[in-house]
Every structure is written in structure tokens, then in C-alpha cells.
Amino acid sequence: MAKKNRLIYMALGGAGEIGMNTYLYGYGPEGRERFILVDIGVTFPDMDSAPGVDLIMADIAWLAERRDRIDAIFITHAHEDHVGALGLLHGALQAPVYARPFTAAIARLKLEERGQDSSVVTEVGPFPVVTEVGPFKVSYLPISHSIPESAGLVIDTPAGRVVHTGDFKLDQSPLVGEAFDPALWQEVARPGVKALVCDSTNVFSPNAGRSEATLIEPITALIASADGMVVATTFASNVARLKTLAEAGRAAGRSILVLGRAMQKMIAVSQQTGVLADFPATVTPDEAGDLPRGDLMVLVTGSQGERRAGSAQLANGKYNGLVLQSGDMFLFSSKTIPGNEVSVTRIANRFSELGVDVVDDQMGHFHVSGHANRPDLERMHTLMQPQILIPMHGEHRHLREHARLGEARGIASVVAPNGAMVDLSGNRPKIVEQIETGRTYLDGNVMIGAMDGIVRDRIRMALNGHVAVGIVIDEDDEPLGGAWVETHGLPDPAGADHTLADLMEEGIEYQLSRATNKMLMSDEALEEVIRRAVRKIGLEIVGKKPEVRVMISRLVGA
Amino acid sequence: MAKKNRLIYMALGGAGEIGMNTYLYGYGPEGRERFILVDIGVTFPDMDSAPGVDLIMADIAWLAERRDRIDAIFITHAHEDHVGALGLLHGALQAPVYARPFTAAIARLKLEERGQDSSVVTEVGPFPVVTEVGPFKVSYLPISHSIPESAGLVIDTPAGRVVHTGDFKLDQSPLVGEAFDPALWQEVARPGVKALVCDSTNVFSPNAGRSEATLIEPITALIASADGMVVATTFASNVARLKTLAEAGRAAGRSILVLGRAMQKMIAVSQQTGVLADFPATVTPDEAGDLPRGDLMVLVTGSQGERRAGSAQLANGKYNGLVLQSGDMFLFSSKTIPGNEVSVTRIANRFSELGVDVVDDQMGHFHVSGHANRPDLERMHTLMQPQILIPMHGEHRHLREHARLGEARGIASVVAPNGAMVDLSGNRPKIVEQIETGRTYLDGNVMIGAMDGIVRDRIRMALNGHVAVGIVIDEDDEPLGGAWVETHGLPDPAGADHTLADLMEEGIEYQLSRATNKMLMSDEALEEVIRRAVRKIGLEIVGKKPEVRVMISRLVGA
């Protein structure tokens, strides 16, 4: 008997964290479903859990093994957490990529950056334009967010219509990008929505979101109040905010200078693809140098305190010839992402030392979020009246809270973290399988698994230090000379005549002097006894059990 | 001609960060002033800047060199950031210690923990009791904060009266500890205050602080709304909050269980020293085991997501026989300190996975700060009418903002970060010298300098990995056998047949084969060429420049 067709949903990333969004839809008989992938993003490492790692993305091993079943990859918008892994992972998936023009331009850059073929990207228009791939008919449904051309997806399948919101807010005057159009979304909802797969980022924000347009006035007033230079930062990709800031600067009678490649690139791509019009004229750094400080408004990168970005460089001294001084103002037109507080605060304090006034959103109305708040999510539920609600884009607590919101108004809601395969075919969502998911790291230029132990070893070295031991064993299996110990990242004992390495060498030599012939003949046994001695001495003498590597050179008889 | 006497103030810690409070006052001829030290606290390390470090405190080298001039150490209250370094640093200072009884009990514990003589601690009563040491007459002025017996200091000198607030809030019904008594402070101000040295922690909080007493009602209502077990966390030292939580639990008809040694110790010391009365009766873990979940209220440590505290252990499974489940509630009656967001969020998500409802202060009125907010600071300025204001307890931006507040109402104010020696003798504060200050780390059981390079090496290993190289050079200065490479925390090249260590061994052997005799005879030259080769190969093959340690064993001719 042939198996029945089913419609499935599964997150590989983004349901259990903010970031690395990677969602899979499947339709067909169990185990032979055809797939489309929605988004393929990254998230950023921190020193606590992933020191030295460059980027984090979903582990797609399960999907890569089934790549012949993938019909397409759809990108909802051009944020790093939605498109950032395309260049790194596309080689393992090899499916055609669809996106709206601005997003497509960024997607091509992502592929080219990693030496991949960017001709796999096809530009598509907005709803009602339909892209048919396998059993899926997919349309891009424009919606407001903090980057141009953001869109939800209308995914029609034989089992019904799924609406995947992507990142969104309900902004009816967003300045850049399309406004939220309730009539359009209502039209999409009319035939009935099987499942709404919905952004959950701001489910804990109790008040309705505010429009980008509400920022112009307070930011203009703020700039007008400043005597010296005004420098502002926000995400480079927040093209609407760049325009808001530049227009506020111009309204306050200042010339606009944009610094930083990421920001300049975003503005250029936005202008080339037609999504950004009327950006105020800018001046070059040279021209800016000739202006009085009070006539200048500068836009820089680094809203999250990133070490190499404009804000950090200005805080440390000079950036593109610019030096901030007493009487200048620095505006964070941004929200600090959890985990970045320490870096952002460090910069604010450096500015304080220079006499620069630091302003952020806590001190006035200088930032709006790009995500739908709790009442906006409820409005979306009302508009779409879905049979099923699947919260996405969020940590577990966001997904759970959003599902409770859905259940409270009678929508069958499911918390489906990464790897939970949900069958949407029936009236209620059903978790039918749990796939093993995880994280892949870009570490230097190598892709490694989060659980490979490489990063764990680095964390252990950061906490406990490292000891390398070298010994030479002669042709008669006798130790030749002493042991050589090199410590790294370890303190020496206080006030003692001997270094920690000296004491470890003594301890190892003592162990070697007591070693049996059998032990001396076995590298493994020797390593074990040396490692134990070193860790014991470390703990006793300086209170640390270091990582240990032992190198045994054996001389071979002629 | 004899030098004139002067009155000086200098922070060694606490003015440029939140934490490690260490303040010095001096009176006498320049360079021969007699000193008193106020507080000697710690701050806590993070993975970004101090991985593996146990505690951070002020570098007191400058003061230790002048320790014969220290007449006393006064501790304002028993928080770790005010007394936590006493046991570690008292040996280098050797001065008598004064504190009120509860604080003295904790100070003695701090000394005993580190094997120091705790008989140096003398208990003193509150104002108008005066302790006379050298040219200083010092009184403890009770004020409300989040730990019992907090006090400011009235420091009378021949050059006038200094009021050092310590940590404070203006709570007239604090539940535990003395209420803020405006009449008492007014009395102190009456003879005129030369300088107010004032807490700045909450200078950016725009609204007047709220009393501890306002929490009982909402927390009782919250607990009453819960079906299952309720677990709450706050700082162990916040004895008032523990009492608030326990009373709210009792009012909601529940039995109270207190878990965690730190919390039990704080309650015991509070009861022994008489500062905590009427704490509700508690049950033992065994008794709790026999109660229905809905009848139990548990207090645990771990409000900052500390890895080994109660909250983290409950989130990971079991703690003291307790397991949380769907329908239970976990309350963070606390503020997350910047830098701890990721740890706290991780725990909240674990609870979400278990079906436990997590509640924090954002969702209701379940926490009040222990520090004076901006309007409270202004009220303190008005009460004290000081000639000079020195903001302390704060990052640079807090000090600067607080000084602006003072200047705005005509008080001569000075931003004096750690190491800035301020002469208070004249009508305006004058920075007369800048002492080199810094941080000392407790690393395992050794005290090291933040700039010693030890922690820097650990950070580099965490970011870049470690490579140990061993080679043997024979009696004729020729390499014997190949090179031995051990990598640690480094990835291997993708899809290649060779490990990174293999490729590094090859590269080193190639360098050795080309080495001149002169180079082979010099350990230094060999090390340098090997280190360069290893880092170059690391960068080329996996994109990382590791830390390198080279061990050269030379066989010596018979």
C-alpha cells in the first residue's frame, strides 16, 4: 500500500535560539517528501561557549544526506541570521536559490565571498508572483522589518496553505521598504491558512511596536541640541535607520559622512536595487575634515561594540582620521543584543573618558525594534486565523510563551524546537520524529562540529592553562636526561625560588626514576603517569589542573 | 619650612568600575599623610577578559609600600565588593579593621577563610560612637541598602568633615536593617560637610527608588497564583529580600525551604548578630519531600546564573533531591548584572523546556534596587549641602554623569577615577597626582597582576589553539629523527589525508633540513624558525595562528 502524503515542518536552526534561522518544509509520502528550505543563517559566537570561532550555523548533516530531495532554497530577507550561511553551506545542498532583488544581491555576494557559483540565485517578484517548485507554490509577501524587501512566504501545498512570516513588524510608515499592508495579508488569509509559522522574538514586549517614522523628530531634536560633532551607529543593514539618521542630521543642518565598508556597501546595494531613494547627499572624509565639528553628522558601524568596528576604533582614538573630543556626542540608535552589554559599555566608558556625551535609547526615543511585539503578534493571529500556530525565531522560552498566546485564543499551537519534525496534515500539529540537530562552527577556515571537542579543549586551556612535556628515552628504554616542561598561561608559585615548570620537571623525573621497565616501554603508560603527576602538582602548587600534552622521543639503536 | 597639612582622597578600586571598592583617605603633610582605607572588595571575572581567574581586586602595591602609614581599615557593609578582598590583601596591609557587628562577623569569616588572624577586627557601634585613629575621627552612620547594617562614614579631620555614603538607598521601610533617617543625616550635615563621597551606581535611573516593603503584596499574589512548587532566587546576602520572599510564601500558605550554604550562612549570621528577627520557620529538605508541591516555597542561590548555584542545578535536573516539573514556577527576584545575561537566559530556557514558568522583574514588581536612583542622589545632595562632591561606585560614565548632576546645582564636583589623588584642602577639589593602579587576580591560589601576561596567554590559546613541538638534536648538532608536533584546540584540514600536526611536522623537518650549522647550534634561533613555520602553516591550512612552545632536547656526547 502506498504511503499517504504528508506536510511536514522542521527547524534546523532558529527554534531554540535567536539566530541561525534554517527551516525545512516537506511534502510527500513519509521518508520521500520533497523539501524546500527557508533561510540559511548564522549566529555569532561568544567567548563563553565558542572562543576563537568565526561563525555559527545549523548542522545540516541530516539534510545534506537527503539533498536530492531539496527542490529550492528561499531567502526571506538579507539579514546575516537568515542568509549568512548560504556561501558556507550551499556546496553541501546544491539547490536553486530564490529571493527578491535586494536580498538576491546580498545572497550572490555571500556565495561569491566563499568561491561559490552565484548564478544559482534567481530573483523573484512579490505576491501574487508564484514560484512553483516540486509540490510547492511559493509567493513572497512583502512586510515591514529593519532591512529592505523583507517578506513572508505564502507556501501553497496540496495539504493547504502555510504562511511563514519571516522577521516582521507591523509598520505602516517604515520609511524604507514596503509598509505593512493589512489588506494584502487579509487577502492571503481568505482561502484559509493551514499553519502560521511566526516570528516570536518580541513576544515578551508588552506594548505595540512603534513605527520607524516616530524617530525622525526626537533624533532631529537631539542632534540640534549638540554643540560638537554627532556620531551615530546602528546595524549596517538597517537601511531605514541609516536614512532616518541621515535625514535627521540634514534637518538639523549638518553634512552627512558615512564611514565603514559594511555600511557603505549596504547603502550602495540598496540604491542599485532601487529600494533606497532620496538618501541625503554625503560628504567624503576629506570634505568633512574642512567642516566645523558642529556642522557634521557621522554614521559608523559597531552598534554592538564589535572590536574592529567604527565605534570601537573611535573610542580607542582615531577612525578614518576622525578623533572625538569633549563636546561631541555619540548616539547608539540600536538595542544591545544580550551578550554584548560588556563590549558596548566598555565603549561608552571610553567615550565618557574623552568627554563625549553618550546617548542611547534609554535616554529618549532613539530606536524602534524591527520585530512584532506581543499585541502585534495577536493582531497577526487575528488577521490570519490559522488552524495551527508554530512559533519560530526564538529561544525556547519565546516559543513556549508564543504557543501559550496561540492556545489562549483557541489556535492549535506547538512548541517545535530544532529537530522536532511536525506533521501538519491533520487538524492538530503532531511531532512525529526528533532529528538530531546541532551547530556547525566556522573555525578559521575549517568547518567543525560544536561537539568535536576542539573548542572544548580551547575553553579548558583558557580556564586551566597548558603544559607541554618532552622526554627522551634511549635505546635501552631508559630516560635520557631530564624532563622538559613548558607551561603556558599558568602562574608560578608565589615567592618561591622555583618556577612551576621546575617543580613539574622534578616531579616527572621522580616518577620516571620509579617507573618499571614495562612502563618505560609503553608510550601510553608513560603519558598517563606523566599527565597525572603534572595535574597533581599544578593543583597542589598553584591551584590549577592544566591541559597536558606529552611528547616522548625514543632513540632507536643502530 | 614644614609642609602644610592636606586632606586627600584616592580610589584604588571602584571608581571606574562597579565592584572592587577600595578607597583611601589621607591627612598630613604631603608624602607623610596618615591613611585610613575604606572597604576592600572584589569583583568577578568574565570569560572575555579574565578566563580561569577566581577573583579580581585592586592592585594595592602603592599602598602596601606605605603600609606603616595606614591607621585603620573601615568596612561599610558586608557585600563581596566591599569586604571580599580583606582575607586576601590584609596580609600586605596589616592594619586594624573596624566594622559594625554583622559586618565584622563576615569580615572575620573572610580573614579566617584565608588563614589570617581575625582578631584584628573590632566591632563598633553606630553614630554618635566615634573611632579615633590618627588624625581621623570616624563614625558609622546607618543607612538602608540590600544587606543588614549598611552604613556611611562620617570622617572628621582637621580639614573638615567628609561623608562617605557607602552603598545606599533612601528606604524608610526596609524590613531588615535600619531605615533611612533624614533627621540623623541632617544632624550630621549641620556643622557643614567639606566633601560628600557618594554612591553613583544608579545615577542613570530616572525615577525615585522604591521601598522593599512594596514587594510583599505583589510577590504574595504571584505565589498565590501558582499551582505547583514555587522556587525563588536572589543574592544570598540580600537578607531583607529573603525575608520578603519567605513572608510572602508564608502569607500564601506555604512552607519555606532554604537551600544552599551561602544563603543558610547569611541567615544564620544575621540571626546570631541580631539583625534578622522573625524570619518565618523553615522546613528541612526531608520534611519538604513529604509536602504537596503546591504547599512549598523554596529559596535558592544563583540569581546571576552562576554555574554551580541552586538555580543552575535545578535547571539541569536535580538539586538537593528537588526536581522541577511542568506547573512549577521559578522567580528571579533580582536584577541581572551586565555580563550575566547569557547565563541567566540559559537557565530560563532550560526551565522553559521543563514546562516551568519563569518570572522576573520585567513581568511585574518583584524586585527593588539597593541603590539610590537619580532623584534620591539629588535628595542626598540637598540634605548634605557639601562643598565638594566626589562620585564613587561606578564606571566612568556613572561618575561623569553624577559630577554633572552636582555641578548643575553648584557643588564643586570632580571625576576622580582609580588612582587620581584629590586634594580636598581648598574650596575646590584638585587632582594633584595620578598613581598607577590596576587589578590583581586570584588565579587558582596565586595572586597575579592583570598585566603579567598569564591571562593574556590563556586568552590567546582560547582564540588560536596551542601547538607543542619537540625535536632532538644529536651530539653533532644534527636533528635526530623527525619533529614531534602536538596540537591542542585546533581543527584538522577538511577532507585531507593528513592531520594538521602531520603537515606541521613536515614543515618543521623541511626547515631543519635547510638550517645552517650555526642555526642548529642555537636553541634560540631554532625556536624562532620553528615557531614561524608552525604559525605560517596554521594560518595557511586552517586559518589560525596558534600559540607555540618548542622543546629542543640536545644529546650530549659521552
Side-chain angles (χ1 to χ4, degrees):
Chain A
M1 197 180 84
K3 281 186 181 168
K4 274 198 332 197
N5 288 326
R6 63 179 192 174
L7 172 61
I8 57 171
Y9 158 92
M10 180 168 72
L12 293 170
E17 66 260 302
I18 307 274
M20 60 178 240
N21 293 288
T22 313
Y23 305 92
L24 192 70
Y25 293 92
Y27 184 81
E30 184 183 332
R32 298 204 307 277
E33 297 90 351
R34 301 299 304 174
F35 293 136
I36 57 171
L37 191 68
V38 177
D39 291 337
I40 186 157
V42 293
T43 188
F44 297 96
D46 58 40
M47 191 72 183
D48 282 82
S49 58
V53 167
D54 294 277
L55 284 173
I56 301 175
M57 63 214 86
D59 176 355
I60 56 157
W62 184 91
L63 185 61
E65 281 170 22
R66 293 157 179 82
R67 79 177 190 198
D68 56 313
R69 286 159 59 192
I70 311 172
D71 286 316
I73 300 170
F74 291 89
I75 309 292
T76 59
H77 64 286
H79 273 150
E80 289 294 325
D81 55 334
H82 292 260
V83 72
L86 182 64
L88 292 159
L89 297 181
H90 190 268
L93 300 176
Q94 297 287 350
V97 177
Y98 296 90
R100 301 183 67 196
F102 171 78
T103 310
I106 301 291
R108 282 190 290 260
L109 288 175
K110 291 282 156 204
L111 287 161
E112 286 158 13
E113 249 171 42
R114 303 291 171 181
Q116 302 286 316
D117 173 15
S118 65
S119 74
V120 296
V121 180
T122 303
E123 291 181 13
V124 292
F127 183 88
V129 172
V130 170
T131 303
E132 205 169 332
V133 288
F136 302 95
K137 291 174 184 156
V138 181
S139 296
Y140 276 90
L141 199 57
I143 195 157
S144 46
H145 182 46
S146 51
I147 190 168
E149 269 188 6
S150 290
L153 297 175
V154 184
I155 304 171
D156 283 326
T157 74
R161 172 166 283 189
V162 174
V163 175
H164 179 108
T165 65
D167 283 352
F168 76 98
K169 67 181 291 190
L170 303 183
D171 193 337
Q172 296 189 245
S173 49
L175 263 90
V176 173
E178 296 106 333
F180 167 60
D181 178 357
L184 176 66
W185 284 70
Q186 214 147 23
E187 185 191 333
V188 165
R190 198 162 298 126
V193 173
K194 175 86 191 167
L196 177 68
V197 181
C198 189
D199 185 6
S200 311
T201 311
N202 280 6
V203 68
F204 289 112
S205 301
N207 305 313
R210 298 172 306 184
S211 168
E212 183 72 24
T214 62
L215 293 177
I216 277 275
E217 225 177 285
I219 295 180
T220 304
L222 177 74
I223 298 169
S225 77
D227 294 326
M229 196 182 297
V230 175
V231 184
T233 186
T234 191
F235 275 114
S237 62
N238 194 339
V239 178
R241 184 64 45 79
L242 295 178
K243 193 176 175 194
T244 302
L245 291 167
E247 287 194 351
R250 188 172 57 177
R254 291 175 181 245
S255 296
I256 311 300
L257 170 64
V258 179
L259 292 180
R261 269 183 308 168
M263 217 166 241
Q264 287 163 344
K265 191 173 79 179
M266 268 294 163
I267 293 175
V269 173
S270 302
Q271 288 172 326
Q272 283 154 21
T273 54
V275 296
L276 176 64
D278 308 324
F279 192 83
T282 58
V283 296
T284 65
D286 278 353
E287 291 165 342
D290 296 333
L291 291 171
R293 305 183 79 78
D295 289 354
L296 195 59
M297 161 90 177
V298 188
L299 304 182
V300 302
T301 54
S303 66
Q304 300 304 313
E306 301 92 328
R307 219 174 273 197
R308 289 172 210 148
S311 63
Q313 292 198 42
L314 278 173
N316 289 332
K318 209 175 205 172
Y319 179 56
N320 273 284
L322 230 60
V323 176
L324 292 194
Q325 64 187 44
S326 183
D328 292 339
M329 178 186 281
F330 191 95
L331 169 63
F332 284 93
S333 181
S334 53
K335 182 187 164 252
T336 302
I337 293 174
N340 296 338
E341 289 83 358
V342 173
S343 311
V344 169
T345 301
R346 189 178 299 133
I347 288 172
N349 281 313
R350 289 266 169 80
F351 283 135
S352 178
E353 290 167 18
L354 297 172
V356 173
D357 292 325
V358 176
V359 179
D360 64 27
D361 190 46
Q362 290 188 303
M363 303 165 193
H365 178 45
F366 308 127
H367 173 67
V368 294
S369 170
H371 293 273
N373 291 352
R374 190 182 186 97
D376 309 318
L377 295 174
E378 294 182 299
R379 190 172 166 204
M380 178 60 84
H381 301 165
T382 305
L383 257 175
M384 304 313 287
Q385 303 205 3
Q387 192 180 1
I388 292 169
L389 172 67
I390 305 185
M392 65 168 173
H393 302 169
E395 300 163 8
H396 195 282
R397 63 197 178 108
H398 298 97
L399 306 182
R400 182 160 178 266
E401 184 70 12
H402 195 175
R404 290 166 74 156
L405 209 60
E407 287 289 343
R409 57 169 53 205
I411 308 168
S413 304
V414 63
V415 175
N418 295 339
M421 186 188 286
V422 186
D423 186 343
L424 302 172
S425 312
N427 288 330
R428 293 192 64 85
K430 200 175 145 194
I431 295 184
V432 288
E433 205 173 335
Q434 183 66 42
I435 301 304
E436 199 174 316
T437 55
R439 295 178 159 210
T440 296
Y441 293 159
L442 176 67
D443 190 36
N445 56 33
V446 182
M447 304 281 266
I448 62 175
M451 296 300 170
D452 285 2
I454 293 164
V455 171
R456 180 203 60 205
D457 283 349
R458 292 211 294 266
I459 292 174
R460 287 181 179 168
M461 287 193 285
L463 297 174
N464 308 315
H466 185 282
V467 172
V469 180
I471 60 167
V472 180
I473 304 286
D474 72 11
E475 297 88 337
D476 305 320
D477 294 320
E478 290 294 327
L480 190 65
W484 181 316
V485 168
E486 287 277 351
T487 65
H488 207 61
L490 282 163
D492 283 317
D497 300 334
H498 297 282
T499 64
L500 180 61
D502 289 343
L503 296 171
M504 286 177 170
E505 286 174 358
E506 273 174 34
I508 295 165
E509 284 158 23
Y510 173 69
Q511 292 295 333
L512 291 179
S513 72
R514 300 173 59 213
T516 59
N517 272 352
K518 196 178 152 198
M519 187 180 285
L520 286 168
M521 288 171 71
S522 156
D523 282 5
E524 211 172 298
L526 267 180
E527 269 183 50
E528 182 57 24
V529 77
I530 290 171
R531 179 177 294 115
R532 272 202 210 162
V534 164
R535 287 165 67 89
K536 187 157 169 280
I537 293 166
L539 192 61
E540 276 172 11
I541 305 295
V542 300
K544 295 211 163 254
K545 279 171 92 169
E547 294 291 281
V548 184
R549 282 288 193 257
V550 181
M551 291 180 284
I552 302 164
S553 301
R554 288 185 184 273
L555 304 185
V556 186
Chain B
M1 198 180 83
K3 279 185 183 170
K4 272 197 332 196
N5 289 325
R6 63 180 192 174
L7 172 62
I8 57 172
Y9 158 92
M10 180 168 71
L12 293 170
E17 65 259 305
I18 307 274
M20 58 179 240
N21 293 288
T22 313
Y23 304 92
L24 192 70
Y25 293 92
Y27 183 81
E30 183 183 332
R32 297 202 308 277
E33 297 90 351
R34 300 299 305 174
F35 293 135
I36 57 171
L37 191 66
V38 176
D39 291 338
I40 185 154
V42 294
T43 188
F44 297 96
D46 58 40
M47 191 72 183
D48 283 80
S49 58
V53 167
D54 294 278
L55 284 172
I56 301 174
M57 63 213 87
D59 177 353
I60 55 157
W62 184 91
L63 185 59
E65 282 171 22
R66 293 160 178 80
R67 79 178 189 195
D68 56 313
R69 287 161 56 194
I70 311 173
D71 287 315
I73 301 170
F74 291 88
I75 309 294
T76 60
H77 65 286
H79 272 148
E80 289 294 325
D81 55 335
H82 293 260
V83 72
L86 183 63
L88 291 159
L89 298 181
H90 190 268
L93 300 177
Q94 297 288 350
V97 177
Y98 296 90
R100 300 183 70 197
F102 171 79
T103 310
I106 302 291
R108 281 191 290 260
L109 287 175
K110 290 283 155 203
L111 287 161
E112 287 159 11
E113 247 172 43
R114 303 291 170 183
Q116 303 286 315
D117 174 14
S118 65
S119 73
V120 297
V121 180
T122 303
E123 291 182 13
V124 292
F127 184 88
V129 173
V130 171
T131 303
E132 204 169 332
V133 288
F136 302 96
K137 292 176 185 154
V138 181
S139 297
Y140 277 88
L141 199 56
I143 195 158
S144 46
H145 182 45
S146 50
I147 190 167
E149 270 187 3
S150 290
L153 296 176
V154 184
I155 304 170
D156 283 327
T157 75
R161 173 166 281 191
V162 175
V163 174
H164 179 108
T165 65
D167 283 353
F168 76 99
K169 67 181 293 190
L170 304 183
D171 193 337
Q172 296 188 243
S173 49
L175 262 87
V176 173
E178 295 106 332
F180 167 61
D181 177 357
L184 176 67
W185 284 70
Q186 213 147 24
E187 185 191 333
V188 165
R190 199 162 298 129
V193 173
K194 175 88 191 168
L196 176 68
V197 181
C198 189
D199 184 6
S200 310
T201 311
N202 280 6
V203 66
F204 289 111
S205 301
N207 304 313
R210 297 173 306 183
S211 169
E212 183 72 24
T214 61
L215 293 177
I216 279 273
E217 224 178 287
I219 296 181
T220 304
L222 178 74
I223 297 169
S225 77
D227 294 326
M229 196 183 298
V230 175
V231 183
T233 186
T234 191
F235 275 114
S237 62
N238 194 338
V239 178
R241 184 63 44 76
L242 296 178
K243 192 176 177 195
T244 302
L245 291 166
E247 288 195 350
R250 188 173 55 176
R254 291 177 180 244
S255 297
I256 311 300
L257 171 64
V258 179
L259 292 180
R261 268 183 308 168
M263 217 167 242
Q264 286 163 345
K265 192 173 78 180
M266 268 294 164
I267 292 175
V269 173
S270 303
Q271 287 172 327
Q272 284 153 22
T273 54
V275 296
L276 176 64
D278 307 324
F279 193 82
T282 58
V283 296
T284 65
D286 278 353
E287 291 165 344
D290 296 332
L291 292 170
R293 307 183 78 78
D295 289 353
L296 194 61
M297 162 89 178
V298 188
L299 304 183
V300 301
T301 55
S303 66
Q304 301 305 312
E306 301 92 328
R307 219 173 274 196
R308 290 172 209 148
S311 64
Q313 292 198 44
L314 278 173
N316 289 331
K318 208 177 206 170
Y319 179 56
N320 273 283
L322 232 61
V323 175
L324 292 195
Q325 64 187 43
S326 185
D328 293 338
M329 178 186 281
F330 191 95
L331 169 63
F332 283 95
S333 180
S334 53
K335 185 188 163 247
T336 301
I337 293 175
N340 296 338
E341 291 83 357
V342 173
S343 311
V344 170
T345 301
R346 189 179 299 130
I347 287 171
N349 281 311
R350 290 266 169 79
F351 282 136
S352 178
E353 289 167 19
L354 297 173
V356 173
D357 292 327
V358 176
V359 179
D360 64 27
D361 190 49
Q362 289 189 304
M363 303 163 191
H365 179 44
F366 308 126
H367 173 67
V368 295
S369 170
H371 293 272
N373 290 351
R374 191 184 187 96
D376 309 319
L377 294 174
E378 294 181 300
R379 190 171 164 206
M380 179 59 85
H381 301 165
T382 304
L383 257 175
M384 304 312 287
Q385 305 206 6
Q387 191 180 5
I388 292 169
L389 171 68
I390 306 185
M392 64 169 173
H393 302 169
E395 301 163 5
H396 196 282
R397 63 199 176 106
H398 297 97
L399 306 182
R400 182 160 177 265
E401 185 70 12
H402 195 174
R404 289 165 75 157
L405 210 58
E407 287 288 343
R409 56 171 51 202
I411 308 169
S413 305
V414 62
V415 175
N418 294 341
M421 187 187 287
V422 186
D423 186 342
L424 302 173
S425 314
N427 288 329
R428 294 193 63 86
K430 199 174 145 195
I431 294 183
V432 288
E433 205 173 334
Q434 182 67 40
I435 302 304
E436 200 173 316
T437 55
R439 295 177 159 213
T440 296
Y441 293 158
L442 176 67
D443 191 35
N445 55 33
V446 183
M447 304 280 267
I448 62 175
M451 295 301 171
D452 286 0
I454 293 164
V455 171
R456 180 204 60 207
D457 283 349
R458 291 211 295 266
I459 292 173
R460 286 182 180 165
M461 288 193 285
L463 297 174
N464 308 314
H466 185 280
V467 173
V469 180
I471 60 167
V472 180
I473 304 286
D474 71 11
E475 296 88 337
D476 305 320
D477 295 320
E478 289 294 325
L480 188 65
W484 181 316
V485 167
E486 287 277 351
T487 63
H488 206 62
L490 282 163
D492 283 317
D497 301 333
H498 297 285
T499 64
L500 180 61
D502 290 342
L503 297 170
M504 286 177 171
E505 285 173 359
E506 273 174 34
I508 294 165
E509 284 158 22
Y510 174 69
Q511 291 297 332
L512 291 178
S513 73
R514 299 173 59 213
T516 60
N517 273 350
K518 195 176 153 201
M519 186 179 286
L520 287 168
M521 289 171 67
S522 156
D523 281 5
E524 210 173 299
L526 267 180
E527 269 184 48
E528 182 56 26
V529 77
I530 289 172
R531 178 176 294 116
R532 272 202 208 161
V534 165
R535 287 166 67 88
K536 186 157 170 277
I537 292 165
L539 192 62
E540 276 172 10
I541 305 294
V542 300
K544 293 209 165 262
K545 278 172 93 168
E547 294 291 281
V548 184
R549 282 287 190 259
V550 182
M551 290 179 285
I552 302 163
S553 301
R554 288 187 184 272
L555 304 185
V556 186

